Amino acid sequence: MSRLHLGVLGMLSLVALTVSSSAGAAPDPFYLPPGDLLPASGDGVAEFTVFAPSMRYPLELGPSFPNSQVYGNGGLHGPGGSQCDAVNYDYPWRDNYCETRTWDMPLCPSGQGHQGQDVRPATCENRKYWIVASAAGQVSSIGSYSVYVTTPAGQRFDYLHGALDTLVVSQGQQLQAGDPIVMVSNNMGQTATSIHLHYNIKQDIAGVGYVYVSPYMSLVAAYSALMGLGDKAPVGALEMSGCERIAGWAQDPDTPEAAVAVDLYFGGPAGDPNAVGVQVKADLPREDLCVLLGSCDHGFALDVPVGLRDGQPHPVHVYAHGSEGGEAVQLELSPAMVECAPPPVPAGVRRWVISPEILATWNFSPFWQVIHVDDPTLAAIPESRDLAEGPVLARSDAELEQIWLIDGGFRRHVQGPEIAAAWSLDLATTATWSAATLQALPEGTPLRPAPILVQGTGAAIYLIDDLQCDPEVQPADPLCPEDVTTDTDGDPGGSVGGIGNGGDPGSDSSGAASGSDALPPGYGANSEAGCGCDTSPVAAGPLALLLGGLGLRRRRRS
Amino acid sequence: MLRVPQWPPTSELAQELRARAPASLLAAVDRSPVPVLLPGDPSWLARADLYVPEDPQPFGYAFAGALDERHLSIHASRFATLLPHIGHVRGDPVRSGFGSFSVNEGVRTASWIEHGVAYSVDLECFDHEAPTCDDAVLRELVAGLVYVGGAAAVGGAR
C-alpha cells in the first residue's frame, strides 16, 4: 500500500503526470534478484519459484517497472520527490514482496510484510494502461478497487487500484489470458494511492493455507516473454525416458560452459495446473557431448519418481532455462511418456497422514514417496493409528548420540544420520531428556530406513510403518493383540502384528523414574506447573505422549 | 496434492440460512467438493455469487458478496501445492483451526485450515478505515461463518 502525501484523488489530477519513461532498452538482466528489497525496507525472501508458469504479464504493454511505492520516490517512507520521478520508471526491477508492513504474512522471513508486488506502467499517467488477465479464469470478485480472477485450479490473481469507471469485466465472467480488465489508476476507494497495479498471487500452499505467494519471478518470466528479452535459446534433447531414469542434455549457447537448469514436468506441460515440476542441473559429464558441444558437462538424469510408477502412462515435458533467465525452451524429443509398474508395497501397517499440513510437517512428498495401489490392496493393509502431527525427537542425557523418535508413547531409535536424512528429520530440534524419562517409554521398532507412503484411488495418504504394541501403553492400538510387545528385532520390513522379542515392556516403565524425571515442558500433561494430579510422572508422561499421538481422531472422511 | 475434507455432521448444517439462500447460490453450494462456509448474516447473500468450476475435479469454491460499500470474498481450496522449502507454518488459532489475520492494501484478510480445507476471507471497503471495516469486524465475520453444505453433505459426488 502506498498512501501518497497527496491525500485526495482530485489533487492528483492537478499534477501534470506526463513524465515519460526514461528507460531505453531493458538491460540484461532487467531485474534485481528476488528478495533484494530497497535498503531499510525490510527483509525480503529469495523466492525463485515461478508460481504461475506461462502466465501472461498483467499489463497489456511494456515497458513496465515493478518497484516499491512506499519506499520509492514519492512514497510515504521514501527519500522524497514525486511518484513520477524518472527513477521510478526505469530498470532494474525491484522486488517488494515482504517489504516492511505490520501485517501478518506467514511466508515472509519476519512473519509480516507486503503481500504482493507493486507494478508501475510505462509512464506516470492515470487511466492510460490496461491491466489484462494473467491467466484464464473466472472473475470471482469485484470490489471498490480490486478485481479477483480465479483459475479452475483455484489459483487467484488479484488486480488492485484499477479505475472502476474503465472496468470492462463483470462478476462471474470467464476470461482468457490477455483479456483487458481495467485501467491502471490510483484508486484505493476513498483514499488515493500512487498510480500502479498492486498484483497478488494467492494460492493453497500445503503447510500454510490459502495465502499470498511471491509473484516476482512469475512477473519476470512473463515480462521476458512479453518483451522478447533474453538471447539465444538453450538447446538440448530428451534422450531417455525409461523406468530406470529419464535423461538427456541441455546447454545455453550464450554461456556454453555453464550448467543450465532443466525443468521436467510430469502429467502435462509447464503451466498445466495438474503438472508437477522438478528442476535438475544439467551438469553431468558426458564424453559424447564434448565434440558435439565443445563442452562436456551438460548431461542430466532423474530417477522416475515413485509416485508415477503406477502402471499408467505419464507424459514428461522437459525444458531448459538459459543461464541468464528468459523463457524456458522445450527440448527436442520432448514430450515423452513414462509407464512403469508400481514397486512392491513393503509389509507393515498403514497410518493415515490426515492433512497436507501434517504431510508438510513431516516433509513427506507424495510425488517421490507414494506408491499407488488399488483399493483392495490398500484395504488389505491393516490400518493402525493416525500419524502424529509432527516428529518429536529426544535424546537421553546419558547417551547424547542416540536419537529417538517419540511416537505415540513409544521411543523409536533413529539408527544413524542417513536415516534421519531420509526422513528429513531436523536433528537440531532434538530435546535432551533425563535417561530415566526416556527409558520410561517402551522401546518401539526402529524407524524404517526411509518413509514409504501408500495411496489408493481416494485422496487419503498413509505411511507404511510397523505396528507398535505394549501392554503398558494405553489405549493400545486396536490392531494389537492382548499381552503382546512390539517387534523390536530390527527387521526393517516389519511384520503386521508386530509381535516380537522386544523384552518385557513392564521393566521399561515400571517406576524407574522419580518425580524429578517428569517429562520436559511441552511433552506431557504432568509437566504442567502447579498440577495437582495424582498420577505418577512415569505413568503419565508416556501416556500423555501416547494420547497426543492418538489425539488426531478423524471425523467423517470423504 | 489433494486435501481430504473432513465433513461436519449434517446436524451442523445452517438450515435456516439454506432456506433463505437464493436457489442459484444453493445449487452451487451443493456442488462444492469442500464444506461451504458462508456468513451467518443472510444480508450478505442478497448480492452474492458462488463459483464452483464446472470441472470433474473442482478446487473448491469462491464466494463474493456485497453489503453496502463492503465486499466480502471467500475462497476454499483442496488443491494444495507442496513446496519443501516452505514447510509448515502453523499460525495462530482461527476458528477451530490455525492461520493468520492480515491486511492487504486496505483489504482485510484471514486464512486458516478447517475441515481439512484451506479457507480465506477478504473484506474490502470503499472506506477501508471505516469502523465497519476494521479488524474486529473481520474477526466477527470469520467467527460467524456457518456451514451451509457441499456435495458430500447432500449425498453428491465426493
Side-chain angles (χ1 to χ4, degrees):
Chain A
M1 180 176 73
S2 55
R3 185 181 307 160
L4 292 178
H5 299 297
L6 300 171
V8 293
L9 278 163
M11 291 181 69
L12 284 171
S13 64
L14 299 177
V15 180
L17 304 178
T18 55
V19 176
S20 295
S21 166
S22 62
D28 185 15
F30 58 89
Y31 61 96
L32 295 171
D36 183 4
L37 308 188
L38 274 172
S41 69
D43 295 326
V45 57
E47 176 59 87
F48 285 86
T49 304
V50 177
F51 287 93
S54 304
M55 79 172 201
R56 207 291 186 184
Y57 193 69
L59 294 184
E60 181 189 27
L61 302 170
S64 167
F65 306 99
N67 53 40
S68 175
Q69 307 294 300
V70 170
Y71 288 87
N73 278 32
L76 185 63
H77 299 302
S82 159
Q83 65 161 325
C84 296
D85 286 353
V87 68
N88 288 340
Y89 290 84
D90 202 354
Y91 298 102
W93 286 16
R94 191 142 215 166
D95 191 0
N96 81 323
Y97 176 79
C98 289
E99 188 175 75
T100 297
R101 300 291 191 276
T102 56
W103 316 322
D104 283 351
M105 263 288 287
L107 299 186
C108 292
S110 68
Q112 296 181 323
H114 188 232
Q115 292 94 334
Q117 177 67 43
D118 291 331
V119 179
R120 298 182 201 264
T123 64
C124 190
E125 291 171 275
N126 212 353
R127 303 163 191 251
K128 178 173 182 180
Y129 299 100
W130 281 106
I131 296 169
V132 299
S134 292
Q138 187 163 23
V139 178
S140 55
S141 173
I142 298 175
S144 299
Y145 51 92
S146 71
V147 177
Y148 302 157
V149 178
T150 303
T151 71
Q155 193 174 38
R156 198 181 86 184
F157 295 90
D158 299 353
Y159 310 89
L160 272 66
H161 308 313
L164 284 197
D165 57 356
T166 65
L167 186 73
V168 291
V169 299
S170 56
Q171 176 76 34
Q173 184 177 337
Q174 290 286 348
L175 300 182
Q176 298 302 313
D179 284 351
I181 296 173
V182 69
M183 283 184 169
V184 180
S185 79
N186 59 352
N187 174 26
M188 195 169 155
Q190 187 160 286
T191 310
T193 181
S194 53
I195 299 168
H196 73 286
L197 160 66
H198 173 98
Y199 184 70
N200 295 324
I201 300 177
K202 201 170 187 181
Q203 72 181 72
D204 182 357
I205 301 296
V208 190
Y210 198 74
V211 293
Y212 300 100
V213 297
S214 171
Y216 190 67
M217 291 309 292
S218 301
L219 288 166
V220 166
Y223 193 71
S224 298
L226 176 71
M227 303 297 284
L229 302 177
D231 300 312
K232 293 176 188 170
V235 295
L238 170 60
E239 299 169 313
M240 178 191 294
S241 55
C243 289
E244 291 306 311
R245 63 201 317 226
I246 299 162
W249 64 272
Q251 183 199 39
D252 182 354
D254 295 318
T255 52
E257 298 294 331
V260 301
V262 171
D263 292 340
L264 297 94
Y265 281 87
F266 296 92
D272 184 329
N274 296 315
V276 178
V278 177
Q279 189 168 86
V280 299
K281 211 70 163 168
D283 60 357
L284 301 178
R286 288 258 307 260
E287 283 192 18
D288 59 313
L289 297 178
C290 300
V291 174
L292 179 67
L293 304 177
S295 175
C296 307
D297 300 345
H298 298 289
F300 68 85
L302 182 77
D303 292 338
V304 176
V306 172
L308 298 182
R309 293 171 180 259
D310 58 0
Q312 300 298 313
H314 297 278
V316 53
H317 296 250
V318 185
Y319 306 82
H321 290 271
S323 55
E324 296 181 349
E327 189 176 14
V329 172
Q330 189 158 199
L331 301 186
E332 289 184 32
L333 306 180
S334 168
M337 300 294 284
V338 291
E339 183 173 348
C340 306
V345 179
V349 297
R350 59 187 163 106
R351 302 175 64 185
W352 187 26
V353 185
I354 69 169
S355 73
E357 283 61 50
I358 293 177
L359 199 81
T361 304
W362 283 88
N363 288 309
F364 291 157
S365 165
F367 188 64
W368 293 105
Q369 296 165 336
V370 167
I371 299 174
H372 293 276
V373 297
D374 57 33
D375 290 338
T377 302
L378 182 68
I381 304 171
E383 184 170 1
S384 179
R385 58 199 161 80
D386 300 343
L387 191 64
E389 282 191 342
V392 175
L393 300 175
R395 59 160 61 91
S396 156
D397 56 7
E399 285 183 301
L400 292 174
E401 72 283 0
Q402 296 236 27
I403 306 293
W404 300 85
L405 175 73
I406 308 304
D407 183 9
F410 291 85
R411 59 188 165 95
R412 302 179 64 186
H413 192 201
V414 182
Q415 296 178 311
E418 295 78 16
I419 292 177
W423 284 78
S424 302
L425 297 175
D426 182 1
L427 298 183
T429 65
T430 305
T432 302
W433 294 2
S434 72
T437 300
L438 196 58
Q439 288 294 324
L441 298 181
E443 182 175 352
T445 62
L447 203 57
R448 293 187 173 199
I452 294 177
L453 307 172
V454 65
Q455 184 177 23
T457 57
I461 294 175
Y462 301 86
L463 173 72
I464 297 294
D465 203 355
D466 302 315
L467 181 63
Q468 311 297 328
C469 296
D470 188 292
E472 294 297 316
V473 176
Q474 295 296 329
D477 191 305
L479 294 176
C480 293
E482 293 183 2
D483 298 329
V484 296
T485 59
T486 293
D487 178 1
T488 56
D489 61 6
D491 174 12
S495 59
V496 175
I499 304 168
N501 56 356
D504 176 9
S507 65
D508 288 337
S509 56
S510 55
S514 68
S516 63
D517 292 318
L519 292 170
Y523 290 97
N526 64 324
S527 66
E528 296 296 321
C531 174
C533 308
D534 198 8
T535 313
S536 80
V538 174
L543 179 59
L545 286 168
L546 174 63
L547 290 173
L550 296 174
L552 297 166
R553 300 318 306 170
R554 69 203 66 174
R555 288 199 281 174
R556 190 151 55 96
R557 220 181 299 177
S558 68
Chain B
M1 66 172 292
L2 269 179
R3 297 177 178 277
V4 183
Q6 296 158 51
W7 290 87
T10 309
S11 59
E12 290 185 14
L13 275 173
Q15 297 289 6
E16 191 175 331
L17 192 67
R18 281 182 65 91
R20 298 179 66 170
S24 60
L25 189 134
L26 207 53
V29 165
D30 292 344
R31 288 196 299 109
S32 170
V34 301
V36 175
L37 301 180
L38 291 181
D41 178 357
S43 307
W44 281 105
L45 305 188
R47 293 162 51 205
D49 288 292
L50 197 135
Y51 163 48
V52 177
E54 297 284 351
D55 190 287
Q57 288 273 314
F59 71 87
Y61 71 90
F63 166 85
L67 186 59
D68 304 324
E69 290 185 326
R70 299 188 295 167
H71 296 268
L72 186 70
S73 176
I74 304 174
H75 272 69
S77 167
R78 59 174 183 157
F79 286 173
T81 301
L82 188 65
L83 296 169
H85 66 285
I86 287 180
H88 187 193
V89 182
R90 187 180 181 88
D92 301 316
V94 180
R95 290 175 57 90
S96 62
F98 289 88
S100 62
F101 286 92
S102 188
V103 186
N104 174 42
E105 304 286 303
V107 180
R108 296 194 177 274
T109 296
S111 301
W112 73 100
I113 308 291
E114 183 176 356
H115 306 311
V117 173
Y119 291 92
S120 173
V121 167
D122 300 289
L123 175 64
E124 176 184 337
C125 303
F126 178 72
D127 177 4
H128 56 82
E129 294 185 344
T132 53
C133 206
D134 63 13
D135 183 60
V137 171
L138 175 69
R139 290 175 185 269
E140 191 178 318
L141 271 167
V142 169
L145 295 175
V146 295
Y147 169 53
V148 294
V154 294
R158 298 185 177 188

